Amino acid sequence: MPPSVKREAEDAATNARPPKRSKMDLFDDIVVVRVGPSEVTFKIHKGLLCHASEYFKAALTGSFKEAADGVLILRDEDPEVFRRFNLWLYNTKDFLDDGESNKDLEWATLIELWMFGQKRMMAKLQDNSLDAMILKHQQSGSSPTRLMRYVWENTESSAPLRQFLATLFATRVDLKLYLGNEWYGRYRSEQVVMDIALAQYRRRGSPPQSIDFWQEPALHYKDAPPSKSAAIASIWRPATRLVTKSPSYFPATVHRQFLSRRNNSTLSATPARMATLGAYGKKHKVTVVGSGNWGSAIAKIVAENAMEHPDLFEEEVQMWVYEEETTVPKTSKHYDSASKFSTQPHKLTKLINHFHENVKYLPDIALPVNLIANPSLQESVHDSTILVFNLPHQFIDGLCDQMNGHILPYARGISCIKGVSVDSEDVRLFSESIGDKLGIYCGALSGANIANEVAQEKFSETTIAYDPPPMDSRNPTPKATTPQGPTPSSSQLDLTAITEHKDSRGKTSKVKLIVPPSDLHPIDHTLLKTLFHRPYFHVQVVSDVAGVSLGGALKNIVAIATGFVAGLGWGDNAKAAVMRVGLLEMVKFGKMFFSNNVQTKTFTEESAGVADLITSCSGGRNYRCAKMSVERKVSIAEVEKEELNGQMLQGTSTAKEVYGFLKARGKEGEFPLLVGTYREFSTFARVRKAHSWKWKRLMKLHVGILEGEISVEDLPNVMEGEKR
């Protein structure tokens, strides 16, 4: 083509091309998008939305009614997914950041975002979602075990998301555990298994001679399906022969490499990440000490996460059970009049391990098969590196005495016991009481967590307080110099050589801690979130152990007071008033006696504070028993005995202990609700003497509500703290 003709053609093409859209055009007009059945409203720049999606472009720039009104309704979408999409729309780095924003994203959210991108024609959102999944796996080692069937049921066979997950499971997941465990059966399908097998075959380059995960008959074909390729057939037939001749497992060859997406969604190693793999050769063993309804619910969560993170935790989780004999109740789905379990008493541990359900304290809730009930306290805690305490606080001292000498000296603990140990001399956190008794460091877990709702996987939040001891750090203080000389922090201090740590009051603890082995993953905020966080049980990890512990203790007293006014039928206004005063006294108590560490926001922002207070004052056992005691006109102790199936209220004992502590310091008047709920309130007389007003406490003391000599009707005056 002559140069002149070529130039004319290029000029014509340039003129025919629409002018490039300026960035300002993307932010000119605003459209309204209403999402979900409740039509949650989002306001988004029209140009930006159309630029990201051909679907939205067609809907908002054509002749449709949506374009004319500037309103788009998406009733079949999830508002939370759309909110994440909205964040991505204005800042695509949200899913590629190495920071907390990416690690906190759930697998379910990332998968839903990918599917949203597929449905709304946004390839870039799909790409970013896959990149975020890869990064999430690199950072946490987790995988979407429970979502595999869902993905396969809602995507096409050629979907890149399927290819990615099949390759991820074939190379980075313990297939012996995933495909050989009946518990995961509901989360997989034959097509899922087949695609994982094909991905494993492709990665290895030749048909595997031994498949380590074909055991259940439902997972394989007796003959290779004729419609499948020769490659698939070469996998299915050897698998069938192995299952027929030898049902035992074969060791899996799991590719130890981190993954990154390449062209056509293939995966390869990321050298920069490979150096971190295998840094820790040992896994954490977890034991839950306690098996009541809350103990069993927490054990369920821990066991689920231990199974999903085999790189961090041993699969088997021990749960210590106080042994007693019982039968399967007639209301249980396991009840069978012809069964000896229903007609004859059996050990509770035997029933739990047989039915995978705590038929007495947490009925109708399936427990993971890797959760083992053990009646021996010493055996259950043997070699455990993480101890989760969940039992009535009255038994702490005795059980810790039994555990002494039977636990690892470098173990760490989490106390799920809501309360504080109080006497007239001091207030002690249960986490520190446990730590002092056993010579270990122990954090605390507390939140708006009604055990049955958590066990039923209804959404809830909790707060874990854990301030990692300095010797748990793996790194010495780095060298640093300036032109003027070394900086004050360049001392090359080896933190692992430090055995001292601070308690909740900022004082040096008497406990000399032992440094954990270097080949054991450090127990820090990230690890604890991995152990306790579930899609239905969200976890925030903070360092304020005192604030979280006090919130879990003092709210029980407020809940009893709220139950009293509810029993009188005074309505929601009265309950709200009690909760308001109670929250103020909780903050005041923490600031007064733990001033070095307690943070106000722990009470006002965290689940362990205001959220737990609201829940406990709405439906917790302390509230319910107090309410029933007023309605039935009986003592709260009688209600406790009749209603709690052998368990004990913590609010009543905590109220008594807190009262004694405050009285010993002459601080009763500072906390009228906390004091008045249990023991007494003071009446004062204002007496003029020598031309001046003075407050004089009368000798008469009115014994409190729990003692039966203060009327519940007097509670408003108690809250007001009136001086008479």
Side-chain angles (χ1 to χ4, degrees), residues 318-370:
Q318 292 277 318
M319 177 175 71
W320 174 72
V321 177
Y322 177 75
E323 193 67 286
E324 55 186 302
E325 291 194 346
T326 187
T327 57
V328 175
K330 292 183 178 181
T331 56
S332 172
K333 62 183 178 181
H334 303 295
Y335 181 80
D336 180 358
S337 58
S339 170
K340 60 181 181 180
F341 291 117
S342 302
T343 59
Q344 301 175 14
H346 281 76
K347 302 292 187 184
L348 181 57
T349 52
K350 185 173 183 178
L351 293 176
I352 293 174
N353 291 330
H354 178 78
F355 293 113
H356 298 294
E357 178 184 314
N358 190 333
V359 295
K360 182 171 183 179
Y361 295 115
L362 195 65
D364 302 321
I365 300 297
L367 300 177
V369 295
N370 62 318

Side-chain angles (χ1 to χ4, degrees), residues 434-447:
I434 292 169
D436 290 351
K437 280 276 187 179
L438 298 178
I440 64 174
Y441 178 78
C442 186
L445 181 151
S446 185

Side-chain angles (χ1 to χ4, degrees), residues 51 67 173 202 277 426 452 613 635 661:
H51 179 71
V173 172
R202 286 172 174 166
L277 187 63
D426 197 10
N452 289 335
L613 177 66
S635 71
F661 174 79

Side-chain angles (χ1 to χ4, degrees), residues 415-477:
S415 169
C416 302
I417 306 166
K418 290 185 178 180
V420 288
S421 175
V422 189
D423 55 33
S424 60
E425 299 297 325
D426 197 10
V427 175
R428 297 275 299 162
L429 311 184
F430 285 140
S431 57
E432 290 186 342
S433 297
I434 292 169
D436 290 351
K437 280 276 187 179
L438 298 178
I440 64 174
Y441 178 78
C442 186
L445 181 151
S446 185
N449 310 135
I450 294 177
N452 289 335
E453 293 184 7
V454 173
Q456 293 165 12
E457 301 189 1
K458 296 179 179 179
F459 175 75
S460 63
E461 299 177 309
T462 199
T463 308
I464 293 177
Y466 193 85
D467 192 10
M471 71 286 301
D472 285 8
S473 172
R474 297 287 191 254
N475 301 312
T477 306

Side-chain angles (χ1 to χ4, degrees), residues 380-396:
S380 64
V381 300
H382 180 69
D383 284 342
S384 292
T385 55
I386 300 177
L387 303 170
V388 182
F389 297 87
N390 206 324
L391 65 156
H393 70 275
Q394 297 91 333
F395 304 120
I396 289 178

Side-chain angles (χ1 to χ4, degrees), residues 477-701:
T477 306
K479 289 182 177 180
T481 57
T482 67
Q484 289 76 31
T487 65
S489 61
S490 64
S491 59
Q492 275 295 290
L493 175 63
D494 185 0
L495 298 179
T496 62
I498 301 176
T499 59
E500 295 181 350
H501 68 288
K502 302 293 185 181
D503 63 15
S504 57
R505 287 187 170 88
K507 300 178 181 179
T508 300
S509 173
K510 298 178 181 178
V511 177
K512 303 299 182 183
L513 297 178
I514 304 298
V515 180
S518 59
D519 56 353
L520 192 65
H521 196 292
I523 301 175
D524 52 19
H525 286 192
T526 301
L527 184 83
L528 291 175
K529 187 162 187 174
T530 302
L531 181 60
F532 287 96
H533 189 91
R534 299 296 298 159
Y536 58 88
F537 189 68
H538 284 200
V539 172
Q540 294 294 327
V541 189
V542 300
S543 297
D544 184 6
V545 181
V548 167
S549 300
L550 288 172
L554 301 178
K555 59 90 183 179
N556 288 327
I557 306 176
V558 184
I560 288 177
T562 310
F564 286 146
V565 300
L568 290 172
W570 284 0
D572 293 336
N573 292 335
K575 291 192 289 184
V578 173
M579 285 188 275
R580 181 191 69 81
V581 174
L583 181 61
L584 292 176
E585 292 192 15
M586 288 164 61
V587 174
K588 186 175 183 179
F589 190 98
K591 286 292 188 180
M592 181 176 293
F593 300 111
F594 294 86
S595 57
N596 288 330
N597 287 312
V598 162
Q599 300 180 19
T600 300
K601 66 179 183 180
T602 302
F603 295 93
T604 58
E605 298 179 14
E606 293 296 335
S607 179
V610 64
D612 195 12
L613 177 66
I614 294 171
T615 298
S616 298
C617 294
S618 303
R621 67 174 78 176
N622 290 282
Y623 165 84
R624 287 186 283 107
C625 288
K627 182 173 181 287
M628 285 187 283
S629 74
V630 175
E631 293 171 337
R632 300 176 184 178
K633 296 180 173 58
V634 299
S635 71
I636 197 170
E638 292 180 58
V639 176
E640 177 184 38
K641 184 178 180 180
E642 294 173 2
E643 298 291 331
L644 296 186
N645 200 19
Q647 297 183 304
M648 305 174 71
L649 287 177
Q650 292 183 336
T652 52
S653 57
T654 302
K656 179 180 180 180
E657 293 164 354
V658 168
Y659 161 74
F661 174 79
L662 292 173
K663 184 182 179 184
R665 285 155 180 76
K667 297 291 185 181
E668 305 103 304
E670 302 271 358
F671 302 93
L673 180 62
L674 297 181
V675 169
T677 299
Y678 173 69
R679 173 99 175 109
E680 67 183 25
F681 71 97
S682 302
T683 56
F684 291 84
R686 195 164 49 177
V687 180
R688 178 182 292 274
K689 183 179 181 180
H691 307 287
S692 66
W693 292 96
K694 294 184 179 181
W695 292 106
K696 180 179 290 185
R697 184 177 182 180
L698 300 181
M699 294 302 294
K700 183 178 179 181
L701 299 174

